[in-house]
Every structure is written in C-alpha cells, then in structure tokens.
Amino acid sequence: MTTETFNRIMDTFGQDIFFLLVYHQGEPYINKHFSEFVRIAKKRRIYVTTSTNGHYFTAKTIRETIESGLDSMIVSIDGTSQESYARYRVGGTLEKVIAGTKALMLERQNMGSRTPNVALQFLVMKHNEHEIPEMRRLAGEIGVDRLLIKNIEVRSPEEADQWLPENEAFRRYHFDGNSLLVKNSEKESCTRPWLSTLINWDGTVVPCCFDKNGHYGMGNILNAQAAEIWKGDDFQDFRSKLLRDRRDIDICRNCNQGFGSFLPKKRWRGGSSAGDQS
C-alpha cells in the first residue's frame, strides 16, 4: 500500500475509525511506510494494532515502532524448538524472533513507554500442542504482556489430518476423519459487516479478513465515496445473504472468529492474562 492510498483511507474513514489493524495476509514490516501509517492514524487518535512474524526487528525498526505510537502488536511464535517452529513457519528462524522480541521489550522499557502492548501468539497444531507449557514459560522469559493460545484454520480433511491437534479444546472444528464442521456454526449471523470492513493494498474493499483473496469486492476507495461502498448494493446484498444463512457464504462457513484476540485485556477489559485461548 502507498501513503497516498493510506491517506485516502484516513481522509475518507478517519472520523469514524476507532480501531485499526495495519496488516492482512502479509508481513507489515515489508512495507517501508508501515511506521508512517501508524503515525498518521495516531494523529487522529485511532487505536492501532498489527501482527508480525518477528523477523524484521532491528534497532531501527524497534525504535521507529515505539516512537510511532503503535498501541499493540501480535508476534507469532508457533513452536518452542527450531524444528517445531519451522514446520509451519517454513524458512523462519526461532532464535531470531525471540532475540528481536526481547530487544523490543527492553527498548520499550528503556524509552519509558507503555506501548506497544505485545502479545505472543501460539497456533496450536498436532506437532506442537505438547509445547504449550514451554510456550507459557517462554512468554514469561521474553517478558511480553500477553500470550494468545489460538486454534488453526484448515480447509480440507487432508489439512485437518495434518494439522489439527488431538486435544479437542484446541480445535476450531468438529472433525470425524472425513468431514469438517466449524464449532459455533449454528450462529445465524455476524456483526462484522455492520461494524467493520477491510481495505486491501490497492484500495479494494472487502467484507472482512476472511475474504483472503478478494472474492467479494465491494468497490474501491480510490474511485468511490465511502457511503457509496458502505451502503452500496454489493455490501447490502452480502449482509442480506449473511442474515438469511451464513452457511451460504464460503468465507463465513470456515469462520468462528471475533474481535477478542486483537484487544489487550489490561486496557479494554480491566484485567490481565498470561494465556488466552481464542
């Protein structure tokens, strides 16, 4: 995304946004304008969060991140050994992520800043579910604010066989070996298309983050007014279909998510947590 596109988003939606996720299906630190995006949003008093694989923490990016005013971030660590970690995070280096996150926490302390609030995220899978106790220990060692224990998304019985943990508590699905059924699939609707939306790097608007490949385009913020998109026929048709039967929409059939994992409990709910399951 360019700064021009981001500024267009802020000029169009800025007065209505109170919570902004600056990431989607990619590594935010690859974009050289990332910290600038955060600063622009913070000038409008918007709560800003992001999610990273943790491989781009340098002294420069860490300082820029803290100075930008970023409120919170998720750092993904999906294994406590290099072998386990790299099975899902192919090509990744666990030691680098741990060292970078420790450096972030130390610099935050040195700069006397309370932000960003940092959460480690651990995706529970068949090969790493036994590492949860060690992950809790590691989160304490690194000194992060929160640990997210999260279930994994799969899209076929074959993927389920490969990735789903044995412990039913950490499965997003009911799986009998042949078919997948999302837990809470009986939910009749979802609030997201009435409360939020997602804008891709090129300005295209889609209903939410589960439209990973942009199949449900609602318009483009670069050549349409916000109200035209938000109240347009495409968005209204999508909402109506969701109200009738969410199972008719492919991206909704595989979703049981809400906003909870993005919101740090200490700030939003008055408590604290060493480990949250979502």
Side-chain angles (χ1 to χ4, degrees):
M1 181 176 286
T2 65
T3 53
E4 291 78 14
T5 299
F6 190 82
N7 276 316
R8 168 71 172 174
I9 295 169
M10 291 293 101
D11 291 341
T12 303
F13 290 108
Q15 290 185 334
D16 300 310
I17 298 173
F18 69 92
F19 185 71
L20 179 67
L21 287 74
V22 189
Y23 69 97
H24 175 57
Q25 290 299 109
E27 170 53 46
Y29 282 95
I30 291 176
N31 191 320
K32 63 183 179 181
H33 306 298
F34 169 70
S35 292
E36 184 179 357
F37 292 168
V38 177
R39 288 194 296 271
I40 292 170
K42 291 307 299 177
K43 287 180 180 178
R44 294 177 179 266
R45 301 175 64 85
I46 299 170
Y47 185 100
V48 185
T49 189
T50 195
S51 181
T52 175
N53 62 35
H55 281 77
Y56 294 85
F57 288 144
T58 65
K60 181 175 183 291
T61 60
I62 287 172
R63 177 164 285 273
E64 287 179 350
T65 296
I66 298 170
E67 290 177 342
S68 73
L70 181 72
D71 292 284
S72 63
M73 67 160 50
I74 292 169
V75 181
S76 296
I77 299 184
D78 305 314
T80 59
S81 68
Q82 176 59 28
E83 180 182 5
S84 175
Y85 174 81
R87 184 167 177 180
Y88 184 74
R89 299 282 170 180
V90 178
T93 305
L94 176 61
E95 184 178 355
K96 184 175 184 178
V97 179
I98 293 174
T101 308
K102 285 182 176 179
L104 170 64
M105 302 309 296
L106 179 60
E107 185 65 8
R108 191 184 76 172
Q109 178 181 339
N110 291 340
M111 293 176 65
S113 177
R114 298 180 64 184
T115 57
N117 185 286
V118 179
L120 287 189
Q121 178 174 280
F122 183 77
L123 287 178
V124 184
M125 294 167 274
K126 183 180 294 186
H127 67 274
N128 70 6
E129 60 186 312
H130 65 284
E131 296 179 324
I132 292 176
E134 178 62 14
M135 192 65 212
R136 296 189 189 281
R137 187 203 63 78
L138 181 60
E141 176 188 315
I142 296 173
V144 295
D145 303 289
R146 188 179 178 193
L147 172 63
L148 301 175
I149 306 295
K150 191 171 181 180
N151 52 44
I152 191 170
E153 175 187 348
V154 297
R155 294 184 173 273
S156 68
E158 292 74 24
E159 289 186 355
D161 277 332
Q162 181 178 5
W163 298 107
L164 285 188
E166 299 295 337
N167 189 332
E168 184 68 26
F170 297 112
R171 289 187 171 195
R172 182 184 298 189
Y173 311 87
H174 299 295
F175 179 55
D176 61 7
N178 296 305
S179 60
L180 286 168
L181 178 65
V182 177
K183 295 178 179 178
N184 299 322
S185 60
E186 69 280 0
K187 290 189 301 181
E188 294 183 358
S189 189
C190 169
T191 59
R192 284 193 176 194
W194 284 268
L195 299 177
S196 66
T197 192
L198 186 140
I199 304 175
N200 286 311
W201 68 273
D202 60 353
T204 56
V205 178
V206 296
C208 73
C209 62
F210 262 72
D211 190 5
K212 294 178 171 57
N213 297 308
H215 291 156
Y216 294 89
M218 302 297 163
N220 192 300
I221 198 64
L222 300 182
N223 52 38
Q225 296 300 314
E228 295 176 25
I229 298 173
W230 190 250
K231 298 180 180 179
D233 290 342
D234 289 335
F235 230 140
Q236 298 291 51
D237 289 346
F238 184 89
R239 294 182 182 113
S240 295
K241 191 173 184 179
L242 183 59
L243 286 173
R244 287 195 304 270
D245 191 348
R246 63 188 295 272
R247 287 161 292 197
D248 281 344
I249 306 174
D250 57 350
I251 62 172
C252 301
R253 285 196 298 270
N254 200 26
C255 174
N256 69 346
Q257 298 300 294
F259 291 104
S261 63
F262 302 119
L263 306 179
K265 287 189 176 181
K266 284 194 293 185
R267 180 154 183 169
W268 289 79
R269 301 182 189 173
S272 62
S273 176
D276 303 308
Q277 183 180 331
S278 59

PDB file of all heavy atoms in Angstrom, residues 109-128:
ATOM      1  N   GLN A 109      11.141  -0.555  27.537  1.00  0.00           N
ATOM      2  CA  GLN A 109      11.428  -0.207  28.930  1.00  0.00           C
ATOM      3  C   GLN A 109      12.408   0.962  28.996  1.00  0.00           C
ATOM      4  O   GLN A 109      12.202   1.911  29.769  1.00  0.00           O
ATOM      5  CB  GLN A 109      12.003  -1.419  29.656  1.00  0.00           C
ATOM      6  CG  GLN A 109      12.377  -1.164  31.113  1.00  0.00           C
ATOM      7  CD  GLN A 109      12.956  -2.404  31.779  1.00  0.00           C
ATOM      8  OE1 GLN A 109      12.745  -3.523  31.319  1.00  0.00           O
ATOM      9  NE2 GLN A 109      13.687  -2.213  32.855  1.00  0.00           N
ATOM     10  N   ASN A 110      13.464   0.908  28.201  1.00  0.00           N
ATOM     11  CA  ASN A 110      14.491   1.962  28.212  1.00  0.00           C
ATOM     12  C   ASN A 110      13.925   3.311  27.801  1.00  0.00           C
ATOM     13  O   ASN A 110      14.387   4.368  28.274  1.00  0.00           O
ATOM     14  CB  ASN A 110      15.654   1.581  27.305  1.00  0.00           C
ATOM     15  CG  ASN A 110      16.465   0.411  27.833  1.00  0.00           C
ATOM     16  OD1 ASN A 110      16.413   0.105  29.035  1.00  0.00           O
ATOM     17  ND2 ASN A 110      17.203  -0.259  26.972  1.00  0.00           N
ATOM     18  N   MET A 111      12.940   3.291  26.889  1.00  0.00           N
ATOM     19  CA  MET A 111      12.348   4.531  26.414  1.00  0.00           C
ATOM     20  C   MET A 111      11.218   5.016  27.315  1.00  0.00           C
ATOM     21  O   MET A 111      10.625   6.075  27.078  1.00  0.00           O
ATOM     22  CB  MET A 111      11.829   4.348  24.984  1.00  0.00           C
ATOM     23  CG  MET A 111      12.923   4.135  23.956  1.00  0.00           C
ATOM     24  SD  MET A 111      12.282   3.810  22.278  1.00  0.00           S
ATOM     25  CE  MET A 111      11.459   5.387  21.915  1.00  0.00           C
ATOM     26  N   GLY A 112      10.930   4.240  28.358  1.00  0.00           N
ATOM     27  CA  GLY A 112       9.876   4.633  29.287  1.00  0.00           C
ATOM     28  C   GLY A 112       8.497   4.637  28.662  1.00  0.00           C
ATOM     29  O   GLY A 112       7.617   5.404  29.054  1.00  0.00           O
ATOM     30  N   SER A 113       8.270   3.729  27.701  1.00  0.00           N
ATOM     31  CA  SER A 113       6.994   3.671  27.001  1.00  0.00           C
ATOM     32  C   SER A 113       6.164   2.491  27.495  1.00  0.00           C
ATOM     33  O   SER A 113       6.706   1.439  27.850  1.00  0.00           O
ATOM     34  CB  SER A 113       7.230   3.536  25.487  1.00  0.00           C
ATOM     35  OG  SER A 113       6.007   3.410  24.793  1.00  0.00           O
ATOM     36  N   ARG A 114       4.866   2.658  27.493  1.00  0.00           N
ATOM     37  CA  ARG A 114       3.968   1.563  27.846  1.00  0.00           C
ATOM     38  C   ARG A 114       3.458   0.833  26.611  1.00  0.00           C
ATOM     39  O   ARG A 114       2.754  -0.169  26.721  1.00  0.00           O
ATOM     40  CB  ARG A 114       2.781   2.109  28.650  1.00  0.00           C
ATOM     41  CG  ARG A 114       3.182   2.755  29.968  1.00  0.00           C
ATOM     42  CD  ARG A 114       1.964   3.267  30.715  1.00  0.00           C
ATOM     43  NE  ARG A 114       1.080   2.178  31.097  1.00  0.00           N
ATOM     44  CZ  ARG A 114      -0.089   2.350  31.696  1.00  0.00           C
ATOM     45  NH1 ARG A 114      -0.510   3.582  31.961  1.00  0.00           N
ATOM     46  NH2 ARG A 114      -0.850   1.308  32.007  1.00  0.00           N
ATOM     47  N   THR A 115       3.781   1.336  25.453  1.00  0.00           N
ATOM     48  CA  THR A 115       3.319   0.742  24.200  1.00  0.00           C
ATOM     49  C   THR A 115       4.500   0.491  23.269  1.00  0.00           C
ATOM     50  O   THR A 115       5.546   1.140  23.383  1.00  0.00           O
ATOM     51  CB  THR A 115       2.292   1.661  23.504  1.00  0.00           C
ATOM     52  OG1 THR A 115       2.888   2.947  23.273  1.00  0.00           O
ATOM     53  CG2 THR A 115       1.052   1.810  24.347  1.00  0.00           C
ATOM     54  N   PRO A 116       4.339  -0.461  22.341  1.00  0.00           N
ATOM     55  CA  PRO A 116       3.143  -1.258  22.098  1.00  0.00           C
ATOM     56  C   PRO A 116       2.955  -2.374  23.127  1.00  0.00           C
ATOM     57  O   PRO A 116       3.917  -2.943  23.614  1.00  0.00           O
ATOM     58  CB  PRO A 116       3.402  -1.866  20.719  1.00  0.00           C
ATOM     59  CG  PRO A 116       4.897  -1.989  20.644  1.00  0.00           C
ATOM     60  CD  PRO A 116       5.419  -0.774  21.370  1.00  0.00           C
ATOM     61  N   ASN A 117       1.701  -2.655  23.428  1.00  0.00           N
ATOM     62  CA  ASN A 117       1.347  -3.839  24.192  1.00  0.00           C
ATOM     63  C   ASN A 117       1.658  -5.047  23.306  1.00  0.00           C
ATOM     64  O   ASN A 117       1.199  -5.105  22.174  1.00  0.00           O
ATOM     65  CB  ASN A 117      -0.143  -3.779  24.535  1.00  0.00           C
ATOM     66  CG  ASN A 117      -0.601  -4.905  25.423  1.00  0.00           C
ATOM     67  OD1 ASN A 117      -0.728  -6.036  24.961  1.00  0.00           O
ATOM     68  ND2 ASN A 117      -0.888  -4.602  26.677  1.00  0.00           N
ATOM     69  N   VAL A 118       2.462  -5.983  23.798  1.00  0.00           N
ATOM     70  CA  VAL A 118       2.961  -7.079  22.957  1.00  0.00           C
ATOM     71  C   VAL A 118       2.364  -8.410  23.396  1.00  0.00           C
ATOM     72  O   VAL A 118       2.441  -8.782  24.566  1.00  0.00           O
ATOM     73  CB  VAL A 118       4.500  -7.160  22.997  1.00  0.00           C
ATOM     74  CG1 VAL A 118       4.999  -8.314  22.134  1.00  0.00           C
ATOM     75  CG2 VAL A 118       5.113  -5.848  22.523  1.00  0.00           C
ATOM     76  N   ALA A 119       1.784  -9.110  22.430  1.00  0.00           N
ATOM     77  CA  ALA A 119       1.233 -10.447  22.676  1.00  0.00           C
ATOM     78  C   ALA A 119       1.974 -11.457  21.812  1.00  0.00           C
ATOM     79  O   ALA A 119       2.160 -11.231  20.610  1.00  0.00           O
ATOM     80  CB  ALA A 119      -0.255 -10.477  22.348  1.00  0.00           C
ATOM     81  N   LEU A 120       2.403 -12.552  22.416  1.00  0.00           N
ATOM     82  CA  LEU A 120       2.885 -13.684  21.634  1.00  0.00           C
ATOM     83  C   LEU A 120       1.682 -14.529  21.237  1.00  0.00           C
ATOM     84  O   LEU A 120       0.782 -14.765  22.052  1.00  0.00           O
ATOM     85  CB  LEU A 120       3.855 -14.555  22.442  1.00  0.00           C
ATOM     86  CG  LEU A 120       5.257 -14.029  22.708  1.00  0.00           C
ATOM     87  CD1 LEU A 120       6.109 -15.142  23.315  1.00  0.00           C
ATOM     88  CD2 LEU A 120       5.912 -13.487  21.452  1.00  0.00           C
ATOM     89  N   GLN A 121       1.674 -14.970  19.987  1.00  0.00           N
ATOM     90  CA  GLN A 121       0.594 -15.831  19.511  1.00  0.00           C
ATOM     91  C   GLN A 121       1.146 -17.206  19.165  1.00  0.00           C
ATOM     92  O   GLN A 121       2.108 -17.317  18.406  1.00  0.00           O
ATOM     93  CB  GLN A 121      -0.070 -15.214  18.286  1.00  0.00           C
ATOM     94  CG  GLN A 121      -1.184 -16.086  17.709  1.00  0.00           C
ATOM     95  CD  GLN A 121      -1.920 -15.390  16.580  1.00  0.00           C
ATOM     96  OE1 GLN A 121      -2.776 -14.552  16.826  1.00  0.00           O
ATOM     97  NE2 GLN A 121      -1.577 -15.718  15.344  1.00  0.00           N
ATOM     98  N   PHE A 122       0.507 -18.217  19.729  1.00  0.00           N
ATOM     99  CA  PHE A 122       0.924 -19.599  19.521  1.00  0.00           C
ATOM    100  C   PHE A 122      -0.226 -20.354  18.877  1.00  0.00           C
ATOM    101  O   PHE A 122      -1.276 -20.557  19.493  1.00  0.00           O
ATOM    102  CB  PHE A 122       1.285 -20.229  20.872  1.00  0.00           C
ATOM    103  CG  PHE A 122       1.794 -21.644  20.792  1.00  0.00           C
ATOM    104  CD1 PHE A 122       3.091 -21.912  20.391  1.00  0.00           C
ATOM    105  CD2 PHE A 122       0.973 -22.704  21.141  1.00  0.00           C
ATOM    106  CE1 PHE A 122       3.565 -23.216  20.337  1.00  0.00           C
ATOM    107  CE2 PHE A 122       1.433 -24.011  21.089  1.00  0.00           C
ATOM    108  CZ  PHE A 122       2.733 -24.270  20.682  1.00  0.00           C
ATOM    109  N   LEU A 123      -0.064 -20.747  17.612  1.00  0.00           N
ATOM    110  CA  LEU A 123      -1.061 -21.554  16.924  1.00  0.00           C
ATOM    111  C   LEU A 123      -0.875 -23.011  17.344  1.00  0.00           C
ATOM    112  O   LEU A 123       0.192 -23.592  17.140  1.00  0.00           O
ATOM    113  CB  LEU A 123      -0.903 -21.440  15.405  1.00  0.00           C
ATOM    114  CG  LEU A 123      -1.342 -20.132  14.747  1.00  0.00           C
ATOM    115  CD1 LEU A 123      -1.072 -20.195  13.243  1.00  0.00           C
ATOM    116  CD2 LEU A 123      -2.805 -19.857  14.995  1.00  0.00           C
ATOM    117  N   VAL A 124      -1.924 -23.592  17.914  1.00  0.00           N
ATOM    118  CA  VAL A 124      -1.829 -24.966  18.398  1.00  0.00           C
ATOM    119  C   VAL A 124      -2.090 -25.934  17.248  1.00  0.00           C
ATOM    120  O   VAL A 124      -3.138 -25.889  16.599  1.00  0.00           O
ATOM    121  CB  VAL A 124      -2.831 -25.226  19.526  1.00  0.00           C
ATOM    122  CG1 VAL A 124      -2.647 -26.644  20.071  1.00  0.00           C
ATOM    123  CG2 VAL A 124      -2.667 -24.207  20.641  1.00  0.00           C
ATOM    124  N   MET A 125      -1.114 -26.825  17.007  1.00  0.00           N
ATOM    125  CA  MET A 125      -1.205 -27.814  15.937  1.00  0.00           C
ATOM    126  C   MET A 125      -0.813 -29.182  16.481  1.00  0.00           C
ATOM    127  O   MET A 125      -0.339 -29.302  17.607  1.00  0.00           O
ATOM    128  CB  MET A 125      -0.306 -27.396  14.765  1.00  0.00           C
ATOM    129  CG  MET A 125      -0.767 -26.115  14.086  1.00  0.00           C
ATOM    130  SD  MET A 125       0.468 -25.404  12.941  1.00  0.00           S
ATOM    131  CE  MET A 125       1.463 -24.424  14.079  1.00  0.00           C
ATOM    132  N   LYS A 126      -1.018 -30.194  15.658  1.00  0.00           N
ATOM    133  CA  LYS A 126      -0.763 -31.562  16.089  1.00  0.00           C
ATOM    134  C   LYS A 126       0.678 -31.746  16.559  1.00  0.00           C
ATOM    135  O   LYS A 126       0.935 -32.436  17.552  1.00  0.00           O
ATOM    136  CB  LYS A 126      -1.081 -32.533  14.949  1.00  0.00           C
ATOM    137  CG  LYS A 126      -0.917 -34.005  15.318  1.00  0.00           C
ATOM    138  CD  LYS A 126      -1.245 -34.911  14.145  1.00  0.00           C
ATOM    139  CE  LYS A 126      -2.702 -34.841  13.765  1.00  0.00           C
ATOM    140  NZ  LYS A 126      -3.078 -35.826  12.719  1.00  0.00           N
ATOM    141  N   HIS A 127       1.614 -31.111  15.866  1.00  0.00           N
ATOM    142  CA  HIS A 127       3.026 -31.346  16.167  1.00  0.00           C
ATOM    143  C   HIS A 127       3.557 -30.494  17.313  1.00  0.00           C
ATOM    144  O   HIS A 127       4.668 -30.737  17.802  1.00  0.00           O
ATOM    145  CB  HIS A 127       3.886 -31.086  14.921  1.00  0.00           C
ATOM    146  CG  HIS A 127       3.910 -29.649  14.495  1.00  0.00           C
ATOM    147  ND1 HIS A 127       2.952 -29.117  13.673  1.00  0.00           N
ATOM    148  CD2 HIS A 127       4.767 -28.641  14.792  1.00  0.00           C
ATOM    149  CE1 HIS A 127       3.216 -27.842  13.454  1.00  0.00           C
ATOM    150  NE2 HIS A 127       4.302 -27.523  14.134  1.00  0.00           N
ATOM    151  N   ASN A 128       2.771 -29.464  17.766  1.00  0.00           N
ATOM    152  CA  ASN A 128       3.321 -28.594  18.807  1.00  0.00           C
ATOM    153  C   ASN A 128       2.432 -28.466  20.047  1.00  0.00           C
ATOM    154  O   ASN A 128       2.775 -27.729  20.976  1.00  0.00           O
ATOM    155  CB  ASN A 128       3.618 -27.200  18.252  1.00  0.00           C
ATOM    156  CG  ASN A 128       2.372 -26.395  17.912  1.00  0.00           C
ATOM    157  OD1 ASN A 128       1.244 -26.813  18.180  1.00  0.00           O
ATOM    158  ND2 ASN A 128       2.561 -25.227  17.318  1.00  0.00           N
TER     159      ASN A 128
END
